[in-house]
Structure formats: C-alpha cells, structure tokens
Amino acid sequence: MITRSVTIEEIDDLYLMWNDHINASALYRRALREEMDVRGVDPDELRDLLDRAREQGYTLEEIAEETNRFDDLQSLVEEPRGCSPAGEASND
C-alpha cells in the first residue's frame, strides 16, 4: 500500500486521540469507496483493471499519466501496449 498525507482539522485529531481504537486508514478507504459508488465505479472492477494494466507492464505512474478516469483505464487495458491509433505509424 502507498502512504498518503491527509490534512485533518484539530477537532478530527482530538477525536482520534480520544478514540485511538478507530482505524483512520479504514475510515479514509471507506470514504473513498463511497465516493466511487457515487460516481458509479466498482472497486473490484477498478482493482481488476489495475492488476491487468500492471500485468501488461505499466507502472502505477504510467497508468496515472495515461488515464484520468475508469473508462480510460479500461481502454488502456483493452488496447495492446505499443499499438498506435490508426494513422499514427511510427517512423522506425
């Protein structure tokens, strides 16, 4: 997993201090899953597409550079790596 910084308010920090049994990472992931649901993205499908892209040799950074939404990732995975769109022949 990747660690990211999240800015929280002092009241959030205090609440988490009082309730140190709360897993803040799980809360964050749950909020992201809810956001995915609102936008119609199935986390299992997203995980599958990400795995498939990684199997095709893409790094996470390359995937992020070449896509910016679920449909882009789906297209990236379905189009074999190295294939140029029609009309864009390489000059090797």
Side-chain angles (χ1 to χ4, degrees), residues 12-78:
D12 303 328
D13 194 21
L14 179 59
Y15 188 77
L16 289 172
M17 286 181 199
W18 288 342
N19 298 282
D20 61 358
H21 64 281
I22 294 176
N23 181 337
S25 293
L27 291 174
Y28 179 74
R29 288 191 304 272
R30 185 174 4 174
L32 285 174
R33 295 306 184 273
E34 289 173 4
E35 185 65 23
M36 288 179 195
D37 187 49
V38 166
R39 301 191 184 289
V41 174
D42 181 321
D44 293 327
E45 288 181 45
L46 180 58
R47 182 177 291 110
D48 179 57
L49 288 173
L50 177 59
D51 289 345
R52 288 173 54 195
R54 302 288 301 265
E55 288 170 1
Q56 291 178 11
Y58 290 99
T59 65
L60 187 60
E61 292 76 20
E62 289 172 325
I63 295 166
E65 288 174 9
E66 296 185 33
T67 65
N68 66 4
R69 60 192 179 111
F70 184 87
D71 291 340
D72 293 343
L73 178 56
Q74 195 166 27
S75 294
L76 181 75
V77 168
E78 290 173 356

